Amino acid sequence: MFWRSLCVLCLCVCCFANIFIGDTLVRIEHNGEVAQLVGLVEENGAIVDEVTRDYLECYVGDTIFDSLENLNISYSILPSDNDLIQEYKNKAAISPKDEQCCSDASWSHYHDYDALTDLLHELQSQYPELCQLESVGQSVLGRELWMVKISDNVATLEEGEPQFQYIGNMHGNEVVGRELLLRYIYYLLSGYESGDQNIIDLVDTTQIYILPSMNPDGYELNQRGNGNNVDLNRDFPDRQDGMNHYPQPETSALMACSLSNHFILSANLHGGSVVVNYPYDDNSHHVPGLYSACPDDALFRDISLAYSRTNGPMYNSDEFPQGITNGADWYTLQGGMQDWNYAKTYSNFHVTIELSYDKWPNPDTLSQYWEDNRESFSNYLRKVHQGVRGSVSDSDGNKVSAVISIEGINHDVLTSPLDGWYYRPLAPGAYTVICTSPNYPDVVLRESVTIAEYLPTIHHFVFQ
Ligand SMILES: [Zn+2]
């Protein structure tokens, strides 16, 4: 009876409410039976943060300790590192007006919300032809969710040019991605101006969107959750169970941003491990440790490797072969941004990248993280071009809304309402592309294509 009422209660917590985060991080050693252990702690309201071969770490509230003791699960409470974080934060960022701003040394500082805001405004004013700053919404505590667009012809939406997005700091206390994205913005802008041909090629052919902090309140409060202490990566409509609660303002803003643009490829950056995690994050049984392949498994493995291959510590991981993992094969989660983007937007292929074991490392080590990830950022970004794309129109040249299917892959994408093109990322190989439209119910257009690494194959469909 106890178990049944507990399970009913947990079901309510999981499916019909925001997932609030307990304040205490605990470590639980395990002897390999990790799937059962994850299930047990999650049923008791814990949020699993990390699973390794030897232990798992999870955020728990005060009410869980009796349950852990009743279940004979021994645990250790990890000490708070707030004092150390405050020390790191006290090494204030260099003002964008200072001559030293954006020098190599200046990146060994954390940027709080005000410094981040100042820096992004300064970069926009220094590179107005390439860089456009907007806020996609506000946090619970009223901070702007800044997003930078970088492209040539940045003020226009260019037909046939795919949209790509990086998102950082979804969990407020996972901060390496936030800092590296600020530096990557500067790297692209300054590299373009100084004539770096690789960067020029990227910026000229891609509409790049970078949102360094999805959770600025969590950053200021040194906590994983947002201003309401809700875990934003459990707050999206679930791929399998849908949406049964009101999303947080940050979640709503990111969903609206995703749906009003037409991102083709994207990633969100986290900390706590070092690995690229790809869909699905959950399986039908909600059991961790079971590989849950999505229809585009081959593509996701390919693009994840494009990131990990040039990141030495990631690629040589002891824990994850070649530095990549299927989400559910590691541990399961519901309501994550990754699966929502892939399953629900009909355009956006998305992975979760863990950048650092230490979530809030000494700022003096940020330059090493930059060296480890700089090339990987660009390699993953270039993957937005690998696939088939083109316009869909009628014989008069008017754009036609269409569904694009790939024979043998059960995942369709839609033409973009922004430019009337379709963009279908694919792993290298040979495919049959099928184009249908509700406007032409009796017509099926087909085309055989070959996809080469990093390159677009262009095919325009015309309904006669
Ligand atoms: Zn995270």
Side-chain angles (χ1 to χ4, degrees):
M1 189 59 189
F2 167 76
W3 277 107
R4 196 164 59 182
S5 49
L6 188 66
C7 288
V8 169
L9 182 70
C10 291
L11 210 67
C12 295
V13 169
C14 293
C15 298
F16 297 102
N18 299 111
I19 305 295
F20 293 95
I21 302 174
D23 291 330
T24 310
L25 186 60
V26 301
R27 177 176 291 188
I28 302 172
E29 313 280 336
H30 66 79
N31 55 5
E33 298 294 323
V34 70
Q36 196 186 7
L37 184 60
V38 168
L40 273 176
V41 297
E42 282 186 339
E43 278 174 23
N44 283 277
I47 289 186
V48 173
D49 179 49
E50 195 188 343
V51 179
T52 74
R53 279 190 194 135
D54 306 315
Y55 61 83
L56 70 84
E57 289 179 359
C58 51
Y59 288 93
V60 300
D62 290 343
T63 53
I64 200 176
F65 293 112
D66 285 347
S67 305
L68 290 178
E69 273 152 33
N70 286 341
L71 291 165
N72 254 338
I73 295 175
S74 54
Y75 58 87
S76 52
I77 295 176
L78 298 176
S80 157
D81 43 12
N82 276 347
D83 290 346
L84 196 58
I85 289 171
Q86 196 50 51
E87 203 179 295
Y88 297 159
K89 282 181 164 179
N90 289 343
K91 189 181 170 191
I94 292 169
S95 158
K97 301 290 182 201
D98 191 300
E99 266 186 13
Q100 289 302 307
C101 175
C102 302
S103 65
D104 282 357
S106 77
W107 299 110
S108 296
H109 298 250
Y110 285 110
H111 293 76
D112 65 9
Y113 174 72
D114 291 339
L116 176 147
T117 301
D118 288 350
L119 177 61
L120 294 178
H121 280 91
E122 182 64 23
L123 290 174
Q124 177 182 235
S125 70
Q126 277 184 27
Y127 301 94
E129 308 295 322
L130 296 175
C131 173
Q132 208 168 53
L133 180 62
E134 66 169 309
S135 169
V136 303
Q138 289 192 328
S139 69
V140 168
L141 301 178
R143 295 187 173 95
E144 304 295 341
L145 305 177
W146 296 118
M147 181 170 76
V148 163
K149 178 184 176 187
I150 297 173
S151 195
D152 65 334
N153 306 313
V154 69
T156 55
L157 247 156
E158 285 196 84
E159 185 173 331
E161 204 169 282
Q163 291 181 301
F164 175 94
Q165 188 184 38
Y166 272 132
I167 298 162
N169 198 208
M170 181 184 201
H171 288 141
N173 62 342
E174 298 170 12
V175 299
V176 171
R178 168 183 167 125
E179 289 301 323
L180 297 194
L181 286 180
L182 290 177
R183 188 163 184 178
Y184 192 59
I185 292 168
Y186 175 72
Y187 170 78
L188 291 176
L189 296 172
S190 59
Y192 191 96
E193 282 240 319
S194 66
D196 181 319
Q197 197 55 49
N198 288 331
I199 292 176
I200 291 171
D201 290 346
L202 265 184
V203 171
D204 282 352
T205 58
T206 322
Q207 304 188 80
I208 303 164
Y209 298 78
I210 299 179
L211 197 149
S213 179
M214 177 178 170
N215 184 3
D217 296 345
Y219 177 92
E220 299 298 324
L221 296 166
N222 307 353
Q223 68 184 27
R224 176 184 176 94
N226 68 349
N228 289 328
N229 209 11
V230 169
D231 191 332
L232 299 177
N233 209 24
R234 308 289 186 277
D235 198 43
F236 282 73
D238 187 65
R239 171 177 71 87
Q240 300 183 101
D241 298 340
M243 178 59 115
N244 298 301
H245 65 271
Y246 291 108
Q248 294 293 303
E250 296 87 352
T251 311
S252 297
L254 267 286
M255 286 169 63
C257 176
S258 204
L259 293 171
S260 61
N261 286 287
H262 194 79
F263 299 121
I264 307 305
L265 188 64
S266 55
N268 73 90
L269 310 180
H270 288 249
S273 189
V274 177
V275 65
V276 181
N277 172 109
Y278 54 87
Y280 289 131
D281 268 334
D282 198 10
N283 45 50
S284 54
H285 307 291
H286 309 312
V287 174
L290 288 182
Y291 198 108
S292 180
C294 73
D296 281 288
D297 195 60
L299 170 68
F300 275 112
R301 289 181 55 80
D302 177 74
I303 60 178
S304 299
L305 282 169
Y307 193 95
S308 69
R309 201 174 282 123
T310 43
N311 180 320
M314 188 180 279
Y315 194 71
N316 298 315
S317 164
D318 288 337
E319 206 176 340
F320 303 103
Q322 298 180 298
I324 66 172
T325 186
N326 170 261
D329 193 24
W330 184 17
Y331 67 93
T332 51
L333 67 89
Q334 294 172 268
M337 179 158 62
Q338 168 184 283
D339 285 5
W340 178 79
N341 268 318
Y342 174 64
K344 302 294 185 188
T345 64
Y346 302 99
S347 72
N348 195 354
F349 293 71
H350 190 94
V351 301
T352 307
I353 306 177
E354 304 273 352
L355 295 178
S356 59
Y357 293 106
D358 193 349
K359 292 184 177 187
W360 209 308
N362 188 314
D364 291 340
T365 64
L366 287 171
S367 55
Q368 185 57 51
Y369 288 110
W370 170 248
E371 291 306 321
D372 292 340
N373 287 283
R374 183 189 61 210
E375 219 180 318
S376 295
F377 278 158
S378 293
N379 286 343
Y380 183 75
L381 202 166
R382 286 173 63 211
K383 283 285 179 183
V384 75
H385 294 285
Q386 178 185 291
V388 59
R389 66 192 197 221
S391 61
V392 182
S393 56
D394 64 19
S395 50
D396 294 329
N398 302 309
K399 294 284 166 48
V400 173
S401 297
V403 179
I404 300 296
S405 313
I406 303 296
E407 208 165 77
I409 300 178
N410 184 25
H411 182 81
D412 297 341
V413 301
L414 303 178
T415 45
S416 166
L418 303 177
D419 66 359
W421 279 48
Y422 71 93
Y423 301 82
R424 206 330 172 166
L426 289 164
Y431 300 90
T432 301
V433 188
I434 299 161
C435 177
T436 55
S437 170
N439 301 354
Y440 298 85
D442 301 327
V443 183
V444 177
L445 304 176
R446 306 169 78 89
E447 181 69 17
S448 298
V449 297
T450 302
I451 305 300
E453 179 135 43
Y454 287 113
L455 295 175
T457 296
I458 309 287
H459 179 76
H460 304 298
F461 285 105
V462 180
F463 284 94
Q464 301 293 343

